[in-house]
Amino acid sequence: MKIIEILSYLLVTLLCICACSNNREKKIRAIENRLSGYQDIIGIGHIKEGGIRKATDFESIKIPKGIEDSVLFLKDIIEKVRYVKLESDTSCLIGSVDKLYFSESGRIIVVDKTKAQSIFIFGSDGMFINKIHRIGRGPDEYVEMRDACFIDDREEIVLYDDRLDRCLYFTIDGEFLRSERVGFFFTNFEYIGENRFVHLQSPQVNVHKKSIENKNIVVTENCKKILASYRDYYSPFSNIHSFGNRRALVNSGQESYYTPVFSDTVFHVNMVSDVMEANYCLDFGDNGLIKSLNKNISLDEYFEILNQRNLYSFVGDNLAVGDYVFFSISKGGEMSGDCAGFFSKKTKKLFCGMGYSIDSCADVAWYSFPEAVNGDELVSIIDPALVMPTELAMRENKSYLTERSPKLSKWLNSTTDMDNPILMFYTLKKF
Amino acid sequence: MGPRNMIILFLLGFGLLLIFGVTLFSIQLSSKEKLLREAESLTFENEQLIRMIDLQIQSPNACFLPDYELTDVNGKVLYWRDFEWRDKLIFRFSNSNCMTCVKAQVPFLKKVNEELGGDKVVLLVSYDNRREMITMLKTLGLNMRAYNIKRQEFSKDNEALENLGLPYLIETGKSGQYSRVFVPIKELPKVSLQYYNRILGLIDNK
């Protein structure tokens, strides 16, 4: 009688599980159908679970309490500045600069995935060379460019189409090379050398491959074979899930950096050692948003606090050049840019403050914080549409605060709101 | 049979019923029917929303829209009063909307414009600058009349709609005021098709 009893309980439990897991099974089957043959692409072998550790030179950068009371004078820390105006023509009109890459052969690659769904290729002098814009379902076409990146050692551009589940490869001059299927979904990716790519993925999307389902970072060989996965998606708040950082994965010259959501720590993505190293963290003290919130906070309460704009948050806007790191932070909201800092890992000195002020160097800080790295140079984007109203007002009031380079003055005087951005390259003084 | 066994039998029966019920329900709901069911519920939700917004539209402030400043694709600054807004279908979207949601409406809008004349659809967009606006229109393949409007200004008078974070459509009546609002959802193209068919006069214009 006892056995029947136990068997009955087991049967009921089993039946309940079967009933509940029905939806998940359906989701898995749907993805398996869509990505049929994915096992051959991503490999059937064991996927290594990558480790995480603190780098030996890990830094905790203390953000001063009154950071917003001071102004970041970029002119104080900039050594050399040069400008490149990107050619403007109706055939090469950039909607927004989402990513910027620079090749050794002297190409400037502008990825515009949000507006033009195109990749623009310019020469080092800013002259337009070619554009990758092939919307369609043909073998060399894409329906939706989810992301794109630059393979620096092969000088190839790779574009990920998440609607047709494939990567398209192009030469540095925009000629189509090949198309390759992918076996999993991701949102962003960067090339990290030796044919390896690092991919950022959202949790519970890749349900067809359980070992990576809840991981945030995946490393592949040529966007195909999955080699390792890193860090479980984690939220410190019991009621807030499926959030992502706007700039969780950034390219900084030849290096890539990862900032998990709800974290003020920046990881250097270097997979040679199969361990992801925490490079530095921003210590906001009592002013940090994440640490100040209750774990049981609701989504509405979270946004309410965010909109009060009393606490600082960091969504991954960072770059590294030599011994220096750059970061920008905001007081509430998702957009970065209220304040920024440059930190020397060597001397531990920090230059930080409000970014946008009439007192700061109008050539540089006023318009844009750096958004890319080219060798030892940081690169800012001067967008005419953003700059022109201020420029006109300044011209009227004759209120230039710094000497302009004649070239920049000439460009700014002749530019219109329809012109492509001017790129500003600058090196930092030693501090 | 003791009460304990009765409980076991009951649980067993309940479990069996649950699994058969779920399976039967799944079989009955073929994907087509499931979509229709979702569409119905969404239409209902959409109607609720429209009712809510209709109430707002009927408010005196919304009836007399401010004279918004608009910029056309050539950079010319114009005002709301400069245009004939009677009997138009305004497609409203901005740089904060998801591109896929906007894209999903493009074939419908093209069809409406083709069949009802070039001036029927007007695009009212909010982008940071003209370059962004033109690039976006080019990418979408939309060559209708388009105006850029400052989002903050427009949001003040259309708060309920703008806060949805979705693109939407506004029909203007004979007096040029809002007459109906529709919020299309990309996952449910059938609902959108139904809406556009009504615009095209293919179904009862209620």
Side-chain angles (χ1 to χ4, degrees):
Chain A
M1 198 63 199
K2 264 263 185 239
I3 296 166
I4 296 172
E5 208 174 296
I6 293 163
L7 278 174
S8 306
Y9 279 124
L10 276 173
L11 190 65
V12 172
T13 318
L14 198 72
L15 289 173
C16 290
I17 291 168
C18 284
C20 296
S21 64
N22 206 20
N23 277 341
R24 186 183 153 80
E25 288 304 320
K26 266 188 185 169
K27 195 176 170 184
I28 294 172
R29 274 202 299 274
I31 291 178
E32 281 180 336
N33 283 339
R34 178 171 160 175
L35 302 174
S36 63
Y38 73 92
Q39 294 96 331
D40 298 333
I41 305 169
I42 61 176
I44 47 166
H46 173 69
I47 295 171
K48 200 187 290 175
E49 191 162 336
I52 284 177
R53 70 170 174 228
K54 270 187 185 178
T56 46
D57 59 346
F58 177 84
E59 287 292 340
S60 177
I61 305 170
K62 220 172 168 55
I63 307 299
K65 256 193 174 172
I67 182 173
E68 66 269 32
D69 300 332
S70 57
V71 177
L72 177 65
F73 290 100
L74 283 194
K75 61 182 177 184
D76 292 344
I77 53 168
I78 282 175
E79 195 175 46
K80 279 186 214 156
V81 185
R82 68 181 175 98
Y83 303 93
V84 173
K85 189 180 195 297
L86 300 179
E87 189 187 342
S88 302
D89 186 274
T90 46
S91 61
C92 62
L93 218 52
I94 301 167
S96 62
V97 182
D98 295 320
K99 278 178 161 189
L100 256 180
Y101 295 98
F102 307 92
S103 80
E104 276 192 12
S105 57
R107 296 281 185 268
I108 298 170
I109 301 152
V110 179
V111 179
D112 175 359
K113 52 184 180 177
T114 47
K115 306 283 172 354
Q117 281 270 296
S118 307
I119 299 167
F120 300 89
I121 302 155
F122 298 88
S124 55
D125 55 355
M127 295 305 285
F128 176 62
I129 291 172
N130 201 358
K131 177 170 84 167
I132 300 170
H133 182 82
R134 300 166 184 235
I135 307 291
R137 289 176 177 269
D140 58 349
E141 295 175 328
Y142 53 92
V143 173
E144 186 99 41
M145 185 203 316
R146 168 61 81 158
D147 200 15
C149 72
F150 176 56
I151 306 171
D152 51 5
D153 51 18
R154 296 205 303 256
E155 295 234 317
E156 285 177 10
I157 297 163
V158 53
L159 176 160
Y160 170 49
D161 177 0
D162 69 345
R163 296 279 287 280
L164 299 181
D165 307 317
R166 64 190 185 189
C167 281
L168 303 181
Y169 291 79
F170 298 88
T171 66
I172 190 80
D173 289 330
E175 300 304 322
F176 175 72
L177 289 171
R178 64 190 180 279
S179 148
E180 287 178 0
R181 285 190 64 213
V182 290
F184 72 110
F185 304 103
F186 51 93
T187 54
N188 303 74
F189 70 139
E190 293 294 346
Y191 182 68
I192 51 170
E194 295 174 21
N195 298 327
R196 288 181 177 197
F197 289 81
V198 60
H199 307 256
L200 186 78
Q201 60 149 9
S202 305
Q204 277 151 31
V205 172
N206 286 305
V207 287
H208 61 303
K209 192 71 186 167
K210 210 170 183 316
S211 54
I212 63 161
E213 189 185 339
N214 289 311
K215 299 289 179 185
N216 220 185
I217 290 284
V218 166
V219 174
T220 64
E221 193 178 80
N222 288 323
C223 295
K224 290 195 280 190
K225 190 181 174 193
I226 299 178
L227 303 172
S229 64
Y230 295 78
R231 202 180 181 276
D232 279 328
Y233 180 86
Y234 167 75
S235 166
F237 309 112
S238 48
N239 301 315
I240 306 174
H241 305 285
S242 64
F243 261 33
N245 265 357
R246 194 170 57 88
R247 300 254 289 166
L249 187 65
V250 295
N251 171 268
S252 183
Q254 292 186 320
E255 307 292 336
S256 292
Y257 293 89
Y258 160 61
T259 311
V261 67
F262 305 123
S263 162
D264 299 325
T265 302
V266 176
F267 292 85
H268 180 211
V269 191
N270 175 4
M271 300 305 168
V272 178
S273 60
D274 289 328
V275 174
M276 195 157 62
E277 287 191 330
N279 203 17
Y280 62 92
C281 79
L282 303 181
D283 178 5
F284 296 104
D286 299 336
N287 295 330
L289 177 78
I290 303 304
K291 282 181 186 163
S292 310
L293 300 179
N294 185 311
K295 281 184 180 171
N296 298 317
I297 196 167
S298 70
L299 195 62
D300 288 344
E301 287 168 330
Y302 178 85
F303 282 117
E304 202 179 308
I305 293 171
L306 204 69
N307 291 330
Q308 285 169 4
R309 296 179 68 80
N310 292 324
L311 299 164
Y312 278 102
S313 62
F314 173 59
V315 291
D317 275 291
N318 76 98
L319 293 168
V321 57
D323 292 325
Y324 305 97
V325 295
F326 162 80
F327 57 86
S328 89
I329 53 180
S330 66
K331 232 179 178 181
E334 259 295 288
M335 299 301 285
S336 272
D338 287 344
C339 291
F342 288 86
F343 178 78
S344 164
K345 287 192 98 178
K346 213 171 180 181
T347 63
K348 321 287 181 219
K349 270 190 185 168
L350 173 68
F351 276 90
C352 63
M354 284 284 283
Y356 301 95
S357 161
I358 192 87
D359 299 327
S360 58
C361 170
D363 271 6
V364 184
W366 215 13
Y367 298 140
S368 158
F369 284 135
E371 299 200 21
V373 167
N374 175 38
D376 61 347
E377 295 174 310
L378 288 161
V379 187
S380 281
I381 298 159
I382 303 178
D383 192 331
L386 197 74
V387 168
M388 286 324 290
T390 326
E391 274 296 315
L392 292 171
M394 275 171 51
R395 262 178 238 161
E396 221 163 81
N397 302 329
K398 294 184 178 161
S399 59
Y400 292 104
L401 293 154
T402 51
E403 280 296 310
R404 295 286 171 80
S405 81
K407 205 174 184 182
L408 181 70
S409 296
K410 196 181 155 196
W411 281 339
L412 288 176
N413 283 332
S414 61
T415 200
T416 73
D417 65 340
M418 281 299 283
D419 284 346
N420 274 337
I422 296 168
L423 301 182
M424 184 171 63
F425 297 76
Y426 47 100
T427 53
L428 296 177
K429 281 179 192 167
K430 285 194 172 79
F431 65 86
Chain B
M1 193 182 281
R4 202 173 183 183
N5 289 343
M6 290 277 277
I7 293 167
I8 293 166
L9 274 175
F10 173 75
L11 283 173
L12 195 66
F14 177 73
L16 281 168
L17 269 174
L18 188 72
I19 189 77
F20 285 127
V22 170
T23 317
L24 203 70
F25 191 63
S26 305
I27 293 166
Q28 276 181 345
L29 275 179
S30 66
S31 58
K32 195 180 165 190
E33 284 166 330
K34 210 171 170 185
L35 188 77
L36 280 172
R37 204 166 61 109
E38 277 173 18
E40 272 167 26
S41 82
L42 192 95
T43 313
F44 175 74
E45 278 170 30
N46 227 327
E47 276 170 6
Q48 298 298 309
L49 187 80
I50 289 161
R51 248 174 244 150
M52 184 180 90
I53 289 155
D54 274 346
L55 285 175
Q56 211 187 43
I57 290 164
Q58 283 160 23
S59 76
N61 288 342
C63 283
F64 302 100
L65 290 167
D67 200 15
Y68 299 117
E69 190 183 289
L70 309 164
T71 315
D72 70 6
V73 288
N74 299 314
K76 198 175 167 192
V77 177
L78 305 145
Y79 291 90
W80 191 269
R81 64 166 181 265
D82 296 337
F83 297 99
E84 178 61 79
W85 292 102
R86 271 185 292 183
D87 202 22
K88 299 281 180 234
L89 179 66
I90 303 170
F91 183 49
R92 163 79 184 140
F93 63 97
S94 72
N95 57 0
S96 63
N97 297 143
C98 98
M99 201 174 170
T100 323
C101 298
V102 177
K103 259 187 185 174
Q105 303 313 309
V106 171
F108 296 122
L109 292 167
K110 280 184 173 171
K111 197 176 176 197
V112 169
N113 228 27
E114 255 172 46
E115 296 196 11
L116 297 181
D119 260 359
K120 176 75 180 175
V121 179
V122 181
L123 309 173
L124 196 61
V125 305
S126 289
Y127 279 89
D128 288 346
N129 56 64
R130 198 157 58 96
R131 199 183 71 237
E132 267 190 20
M133 172 173 101
I134 292 173
T135 315
M136 193 67 196
L137 296 178
K138 211 172 158 187
T139 306
L140 293 167
L142 289 171
N143 53 2
M144 297 116 185
R145 223 156 35 111
Y147 302 106
N148 206 8
I149 188 165
K150 281 178 189 151
R151 196 178 167 206
Q152 278 171 327
E153 277 179 26
F154 195 68
S155 295
K156 271 186 220 162
D157 304 301
N158 300 277
E159 208 182 339
L161 279 162
E162 293 286 312
N163 284 351
L164 289 171
L166 293 165
Y168 56 89
L169 293 129
I170 304 164
E171 283 171 65
T172 55
K174 290 210 164 90
S175 55
Q177 290 158 0
Y178 293 4
S179 69
R180 199 186 285 246
V181 174
F182 177 73
V183 184
I185 308 288
K186 69 173 189 294
E187 285 83 4
L188 298 163
K190 283 191 179 175
V191 181
S192 299
L193 182 67
Q194 198 182 13
Y195 172 78
Y196 289 107
N197 278 343
R198 190 187 58 74
I199 296 280
L200 290 165
L202 297 176
I203 57 170
D204 193 11
N205 198 17
K206 270 183 187 172

